[in-house]
């Protein structure tokens, strides 16, 4: 393995700010995440770069030499990046519930001179194909024949969404497999739940279709069916008629970026996708994009 840009920024921030806590704050990452990044860098280069005690940390001689070289590399890279991004605008489409690390990527892109426009759309993938936006943040798989390039950024755990008056809300030991015959609500445009989300497919199962988040949540509140949604909905959405419950067995789903490989401002788009992937990795350091 070779050192990555995030390694260089981590060790330089530590040299500039003196403590892991202050350096992590400057990089807008957690202190444990920064510590792991520096430790990984030390394994990559094969020597100690930081001398640690119970109360403080300082650069070793090798660390000081490494930081000097890292500053030159980052200066050249930042200058090149600024020239490439200067005045660049990336239009991002999403259907619902942007991940919390999206804001980190946006801030990093705009610190480099770019601009990020965000639009809420019922079908962001169609909007990319129609050149309404440059990149879509989606939880729906991309048709390989659609002419889009896509990249999985992270995986998301999910919760089951239930009508507040349903007996399933208080049913003990509820498992995902127990719901295989329940009516299911399918958001055709941007949902992650389909009848195929269960190993056992019931041919007589009731399937209720809708086209966006607003329709989906009202159908759920009305008791028309169940579905699974990203876990982060628990801190983002409140509806008196809907209960979100964490139960075992719900398969995780990917969240991905999709863009046209020949679209305008392609360099800015791909650069922003790299920032998204980096922000997702910083937010979930124990997992790669496949959820392992």
């Amino acid at each position: 393995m070779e050192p990555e840009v995030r390694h260089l920024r981590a060790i330089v921030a530590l040299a500039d700010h003196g403590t892991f806590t202050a350096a992590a704050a400057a990089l807008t990452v957690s202190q444990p995440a920064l510590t792991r990044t520096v430790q990984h860098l030390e394994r990559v280069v094969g020597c100690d770069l930081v001398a640690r005690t119970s109360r403080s940390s300082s650069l070793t001689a090798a660390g000081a030499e490494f930081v000097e070289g890292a500053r030159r590399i980052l200066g050249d890279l930042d200058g090149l990046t600024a020239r490439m991004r200067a005045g660049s605008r990336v239009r991002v489409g999403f259907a619902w519930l942007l991940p919390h690390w999206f804001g980190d990527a946006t801030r990093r892109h705009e610190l480099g001179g770019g601009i990020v426009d965000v639009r809420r759309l019922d079908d962001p993938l169609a909007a990319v194909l129609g050149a309404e936006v440059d990149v879509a943040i989606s939880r729906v798989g991309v048709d390989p024949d659609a002419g889009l390039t896509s990249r999985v950024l992270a995986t998301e755990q999910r919760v089951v969404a239930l009508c507040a008056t349903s007996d399933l809300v208080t049913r003990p030991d509820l498992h995902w497999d127990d719901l295989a015959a329940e009516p299911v609500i399918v958001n055709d445009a941007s949902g992650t739940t389909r009848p195929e989300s269960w190993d056992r497919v019931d041919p007589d199962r009731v399937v209720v279709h809708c086209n966006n988040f607003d329709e989906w949540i009202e159908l759920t509140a009305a008791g028309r069916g169940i579905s699974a949604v990203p876990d982060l909905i628990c801190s983002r959405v409140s509806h008196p008629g809907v209960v979100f419950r964490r139960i075992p067995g719900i398969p995780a789903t990917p969240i991905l970026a999709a863009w046209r490989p020949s679209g305008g401002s392609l360099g800015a788009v791909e650069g922003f996708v790299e920032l998204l992937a980096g922000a997702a990795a910083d937010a979930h350091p124990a997992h790669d994009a496949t959820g392992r």
Side-chain angles (χ1 to χ4, degrees):
M1 295 184 64
E2 300 295 335
E4 301 174 9
V5 172
R6 65 187 179 93
H7 294 131
L8 305 187
R9 295 201 187 282
I11 195 68
V12 168
L14 184 60
D16 288 342
H17 296 278
T19 68
F20 279 90
T21 300
L27 292 173
T28 65
V29 300
S30 68
Q31 185 270 323
L34 178 65
T35 299
R36 287 190 291 269
T37 299
V38 172
Q39 290 172 339
H40 187 203
L41 173 61
E42 289 178 318
R43 292 195 297 272
V44 169
V45 300
C47 64
D48 291 336
L49 303 177
V50 180
R52 303 169 178 82
T53 69
S54 59
R55 296 184 178 181
S56 64
S57 60
S58 59
L59 294 176
T60 64
E65 180 181 355
F66 190 90
V67 165
E68 182 179 353
R71 288 191 195 279
R72 291 194 299 269
I73 294 170
L74 289 174
D76 290 343
L77 177 61
D78 290 344
L80 175 62
T81 301
R83 291 192 296 275
M84 295 297 102
R85 287 184 181 162
S88 65
R89 182 183 298 269
V90 178
R91 301 166 300 163
V92 181
F94 75 103
W96 61 307
L97 292 179
L98 281 170
H100 63 277
W101 38 262
F102 179 85
D104 291 337
T106 296
R107 286 190 291 273
R108 295 176 191 178
H109 182 76
E110 295 189 338
L111 283 172
I115 299 172
V116 178
D117 291 335
V118 182
R119 294 180 57 191
R120 214 289 304 169
L121 301 161
D122 288 341
D123 191 343
L125 292 175
V128 172
L129 287 170
E132 298 174 50
V133 295
D134 301 308
V135 60
I137 305 301
S138 177
R139 296 173 174 85
V140 180
V142 176
D143 184 342
D145 297 325
L148 295 178
T149 299
S150 64
R151 175 173 178 176
V152 175
L153 302 170
T155 55
E156 294 182 312
Q157 300 302 313
R158 296 190 294 167
V159 295
V160 64
L162 305 168
C163 173
T165 60
S166 170
D167 293 340
L168 296 171
V169 171
T170 57
R171 178 175 166 180
D173 302 322
L174 185 65
H175 191 278
W176 181 245
D177 292 341
D178 299 331
L179 304 175
E182 293 288 330
V184 60
I185 302 173
V186 174
N187 179 345
D188 292 313
S190 57
T192 58
T193 307
R194 300 286 187 274
E196 297 77 20
S197 299
W198 285 262
D199 292 334
R200 177 168 61 88
V201 178
D202 184 347
D204 299 321
R205 186 176 198 177
V206 175
V207 180
V208 180
H209 293 271
C210 63
N211 295 297
N212 56 55
F213 172 84
D214 293 325
E215 293 175 0
W216 165 82
I217 200 166
E218 295 304 332
L219 287 168
T220 303
R224 296 288 299 280
I226 59 93
S227 56
V229 290
D231 183 86
L232 62 86
I233 199 172
C234 297
S235 61
R236 300 276 191 89
V237 175
S238 177
H239 191 296
V242 179
V243 171
F244 302 109
R245 183 174 174 186
R246 295 178 175 89
I247 63 172
I250 303 179
T253 57
I255 183 167
L256 54 87
W259 65 99
R260 290 175 296 137
S262 58
S265 303
L266 184 57
V269 169
E270 293 182 336
F272 183 66
V273 172
E274 287 295 331
L275 290 177
L276 286 170
D282 288 343
H284 305 286
H287 300 275
D288 62 20
T290 62
R292 292 176 291 186

